[in-house]
Amino acid sequence: MDKIKIGIITASDRASQGIYEDISGMAIIDTMKDYLLNDFEELYRCIPDEQTVIEETMLELEKEGCCLIVTTGGTGPALRDVTPEATEVVCQKMLPGFGELMRQVSLQYVPTAILSRQSAGICGKSLIINLPGKPKSIRECLDAVFPAVPYCIDLIEGPYLECDENVIKVFRPKK
């Protein structure tokens, strides 16, 4: 069986220039390694906060067969935060429940979570999820939404994701 492909995009001007290390993208990879029992290949990209570059990268990863594309960075209110806008451009369907749940969870920890614009949507046969930039917040948000991710990927005719039930309990309706 082919390896499952998961795209990881860090949208950060400074990390893409090497000014600092991208710990957020690594936090996503580490979380996927914790969750998934499947053998998977991560297709990692660290790019600047440029909407056209983000859109092109998402489309490239979808074409490369990523069933899941997880982004970090660019979800705040700053002028250069444009990841949700890029996601809306490339997606055929938006899934607002993801962002609603992530903000709800984040608000339990920081009042500024109200400023976050996490979102998710379907681009071709890829589920795209926009996460915040801090590794702690990344894990909190993924812990909240990931139980629905494997079934969503089933519905868009992606590969069957198997998860470690000791780490994350996923939900699939009974047949």
Side-chain angles (χ1 to χ4, degrees), residues 33 64 115:
K33 287 178 180 174
E64 287 190 43
L115 302 174

Side-chain angles (χ1 to χ4, degrees), residues 4-5 14 17 19 40 44 46 49 55 62 70 89 94 130 136 138 140 157-158 173 175:
I4 289 172
K5 293 181 181 177
R14 290 176 292 178
Q17 294 168 8
I19 295 171
F40 73 92
Y44 167 77
C46 186
D49 283 304
E55 290 171 16
E62 191 275 335
V70 187
V89 168
M94 294 304 294
N130 303 148
K136 181 178 176 288
I138 286 168
E140 291 162 358
E157 302 174 4
K175 298 230 187 257

Side-chain angles (χ1 to χ4, degrees), residues 23 33 48 61 89 113 124 149 154 168-169:
I23 57 173
K33 287 178 180 174
L61 291 172
V89 168
V149 168
D154 293 347
I168 190 87
K169 294 201 182 329

Side-chain angles (χ1 to χ4, degrees), residues 40-76:
F40 73 92
E41 173 185 359
E42 68 256 2
L43 281 68
Y44 167 77
R45 308 285 188 273
C46 186
I47 58 175
D49 283 304
E50 294 290 342
Q51 185 170 339
T52 54
V53 175
I54 298 168
E55 290 171 16
E56 289 164 2
T57 305
M58 289 173 174
L59 292 170
E60 167 199 324
L61 291 172
E62 191 275 335
K63 280 186 182 49
E64 287 190 43
C66 293
C67 61
L68 176 62
I69 300 168
V70 187
T71 73
T72 179
T75 59

